[in-house]
Amino acid sequence: MLVRFQPQVNNLTELNEHQLKGLKWTVNHAHKNSTFFKEKFNQAGITPDIIKSLDDLRKLPFTTASDFRSDYPYPMRSVAHADIIRIHASSGTTGKRKVACYTQKDIDDWRDMFCRCYEMAGLTREDRVQICVGYGVWTAGAGFQLACEQFGAMAIPSGMGNLEMQMTFLEDFETSVLCCTASMALLVAQEVNKRGLRDKIHLKKIIAGSERTSPAMKAKIMELLGVEEYYDIPGLTELYGPGTGLSCSFSENIHYWADYYILEIINPDTLEPVAPGEIGEMVYTTLGKEATPLIRYRSRDLTRIITEPCPCGCFLPRHSPILGRSDDMFVIRGVNVYPGEIDIILSSCKNVGSEYQIILERKDDGKDYMIIRVERDKQTETAADQESRDWIHEQVRQKIMVSPIVEIVDYNKLPRSERKTKRIFDNRKI
Ligand code: ZN
């Protein structure tokens, strides 16, 4: 249970009141202090007094990544320059980086949210936290570091890469918590395995963030490192950075800190809210962010709200792990398919590995076909292929409402890459 960094409210009724108050504050603040938002509201013909209830949020215009880029270098700035004490920026592979500004209060709020993550993951001041993430202009290093110090655990700011040093630190400093991306966790796990260090290290928990992970990959990391706890931490530069929620020990679903922001889930095509529990795009509105407030910010990330209460006792709402990007969604035979859903099904099939491709083809009969090509697990015999094919076919048919063609290929047959592996091949346009 949360003790020191508990929510600012005690139950869902109080949460609603708190969110309404924060929403009114944010809209007034942005309208009064930011030329960007003033113009945006004027164009939409609205004034801040439009917000009377939480439902009125839907009357506000959306903002997007292109607003961050067009309003560069201080997008959506809503405080005087003198009140900004720090900036961060996204890694941005194309064009201008997305810059976010912070006041002292913004940094304090972010730190407190992040401390709540460490607390929910069960850390204590005895923990030694190896922070194996990027330090620099992006949010990861600074976020993990500041909160770790505030929390009172010991920070080991080892940064990204340098496996040799990571191995030495794991062993010598008796690291108990490893913070990193899932890809890095896998690299560390394989290296520990290769060197036979598993019994010499003291790792107990992994806090991994910022990329979509399959259950199979997580299981592999935990097995190789001999850890029993793995927490997912979401992180979006525009929304403070990492630490705005955490999965708890009961499931892979993420409790999000709804006392700091409102999360809407919308249909990316119609822009209307989806029914509770349905998959849609995550849209953020902050409740007390001063320098760069977010108002209906479309993240393009896909998730769904988990409607059942969590057995851990934390009443803060939950969403599923990120299921991909709305840009990755494809439509086949009139059905919207999110690759993340197929990922989850394949991960629960015991005879196949984590590598797969989805190929979309239009055949001579004029119909569209979805081919799922997946690798056989390393230890599995070819004799099991028919059973795997039938199982995957049935699961996809039931859960996604599309009958796929399933192909099982040899282990290591599909290409691998360190970063984003291309998995969807839509050949229908040719
Ligand atoms: Zn929980």
Side-chain angles (χ1 to χ4, degrees):
M1 286 295 289
L2 306 171
V3 185
R4 291 158 64 205
F5 300 96
Q6 57 193 322
Q8 304 168 67
V9 292
N10 298 305
N11 52 50
L12 290 175
T13 313
E14 282 183 27
L15 179 63
N16 281 348
E17 286 165 21
H18 175 85
Q19 286 190 333
L20 179 58
K21 203 172 138 200
L23 175 61
K24 283 181 176 170
W25 179 85
T26 298
V27 172
N28 273 290
H29 167 69
H31 182 261
K32 188 172 152 209
N33 300 311
S34 142
T35 28
F36 170 85
F37 280 114
K38 200 181 192 81
E39 251 173 54
K40 190 107 183 160
F41 290 175
N42 283 348
Q43 275 168 13
I46 51 174
T47 50
D49 57 11
I50 201 173
I51 303 292
K52 304 266 194 282
S53 74
L54 281 177
D55 288 340
D56 294 329
L57 175 60
R58 289 171 60 186
K59 296 175 180 163
L60 300 174
F62 289 103
T63 47
T64 64
S66 65
D67 290 319
F68 266 90
R69 297 205 172 93
S70 64
D71 204 32
Y72 183 87
Y74 299 105
M76 305 176 203
R77 181 176 62 86
S78 303
V79 296
H81 276 289
D83 292 324
I84 298 172
I85 63 158
R86 195 197 292 175
I87 65 152
H88 280 294
S90 66
S91 36
T93 42
T94 52
K96 288 171 182 161
R97 291 165 188 273
K98 282 178 265 177
V99 180
C101 303
Y102 301 74
T103 62
Q104 183 63 56
K105 178 187 182 287
D106 295 337
I107 295 288
D108 293 350
D109 283 350
W110 179 24
R111 181 199 63 200
D112 289 350
M113 271 190 277
F114 210 132
C115 283
R116 190 187 289 172
C117 297
Y118 284 139
E119 192 165 75
M120 181 172 254
L123 269 69
T124 70
R125 301 186 66 220
E126 300 296 324
D127 275 298
R128 299 169 188 187
V129 186
Q130 193 157 328
I131 306 173
C132 176
V133 303
Y135 279 78
V137 77
W138 43 91
T139 50
F144 277 97
Q145 177 80 28
L146 184 63
C148 184
E149 291 170 3
Q150 172 73 15
F151 186 81
M154 184 178 100
I156 307 167
S158 61
M160 278 284 273
N162 202 342
L163 271 178
E164 191 64 44
M165 184 182 77
Q166 306 290 357
M167 292 301 121
T168 309
F169 285 4
L170 276 179
E171 209 179 335
D172 295 354
F173 297 136
E174 301 186 4
T175 302
S176 57
V177 181
L178 182 68
C179 302
C180 53
T181 61
S183 309
M184 186 66 192
L186 186 62
L187 283 177
V188 168
Q190 285 167 339
E191 194 63 24
V192 163
N193 184 50
K194 202 169 95 189
R195 297 181 184 212
L197 291 176
R198 203 181 109 146
D199 297 329
K200 295 191 182 125
I201 59 173
H202 297 74
L203 260 191
K204 293 192 172 53
K205 302 168 199 278
I206 309 268
I207 300 180
S210 77
E211 63 186 316
R212 192 153 64 84
T213 332
S214 69
M217 184 169 165
K218 257 185 234 178
K220 188 85 198 156
I221 293 167
M222 290 169 76
E223 181 204 321
L224 292 179
L225 288 174
V227 303
E228 285 178 5
E229 296 176 50
Y230 186 114
Y231 301 92
D232 271 317
I233 194 162
L236 188 72
T237 305
E238 301 91 304
L239 181 73
Y240 298 94
T244 52
L246 192 80
S247 63
C248 69
S249 47
F250 280 81
S251 77
E252 57 180 9
N253 297 313
I254 291 159
H255 286 279
Y256 65 92
W257 307 152
D259 47 343
Y260 288 94
Y261 61 96
I262 296 172
L263 176 63
E264 291 176 272
I265 311 290
I266 63 161
N267 178 318
D269 295 327
T270 65
L271 305 182
E272 292 295 322
V274 299
E278 272 182 24
I279 296 173
E281 181 179 332
M282 304 170 85
V283 175
Y284 296 97
T285 301
T286 52
L287 300 172
K289 201 161 179 267
E290 294 179 333
T292 314
L294 295 185
I295 296 180
R296 302 202 84 195
Y297 179 65
R298 293 186 58 186
S299 66
R300 307 280 169 186
D301 285 330
L302 297 167
T303 192
R304 63 187 187 88
I305 295 292
I306 307 296
T307 46
E308 308 85 55
C310 184
C312 80
C314 174
F315 72 92
L316 287 169
R318 292 185 295 162
H319 62 75
S320 77
I322 307 294
L323 297 166
R325 306 263 307 158
S326 59
D327 330 41
D328 293 339
M329 184 196 81
F330 58 87
V331 180
I332 182 159
R333 299 189 186 182
V335 179
N336 289 1
V337 181
Y338 302 105
E341 297 175 280
I342 294 179
D343 218 24
I344 290 169
I345 292 174
L346 294 178
S347 290
S348 43
C349 178
K350 60 183 192 307
N351 291 330
V352 301
S354 57
E355 293 307 310
Y356 68 94
Q357 292 180 341
I358 299 167
I359 302 122
L360 308 172
E361 278 176 2
R362 183 160 298 148
K363 299 224 164 156
D364 295 340
D365 59 7
K367 286 187 191 157
D368 288 352
Y369 289 85
M370 174 166 76
I371 299 148
I372 299 176
R373 188 171 290 158
V374 59
E375 284 184 2
R376 190 181 306 111
D377 191 49
K378 207 174 177 179
Q379 285 89 16
T380 305
E381 303 286 328
T382 49
D385 286 359
Q386 189 58 43
E387 190 194 331
S388 310
R389 265 196 297 270
D390 292 347
W391 188 88
I392 294 166
H393 180 272
E394 193 52 21
Q395 290 290 314
V396 173
R397 197 185 61 81
Q398 279 179 21
K399 294 186 175 150
I400 302 180
M401 310 295 195
V402 177
S403 270
I405 297 166
V406 183
E407 295 176 6
I408 312 282
V409 299
D410 290 342
Y411 178 76
N412 235 342
K413 184 91 185 277
L414 299 176
R416 285 153 168 74
S417 68
E418 284 193 5
R419 294 301 301 170
K420 259 191 117 181
T421 308
K422 183 172 164 59
R423 300 191 186 281
I424 315 294
F425 299 86
D426 192 346
N427 300 331
R428 295 173 297 177
K429 290 159 197 155
I430 300 162

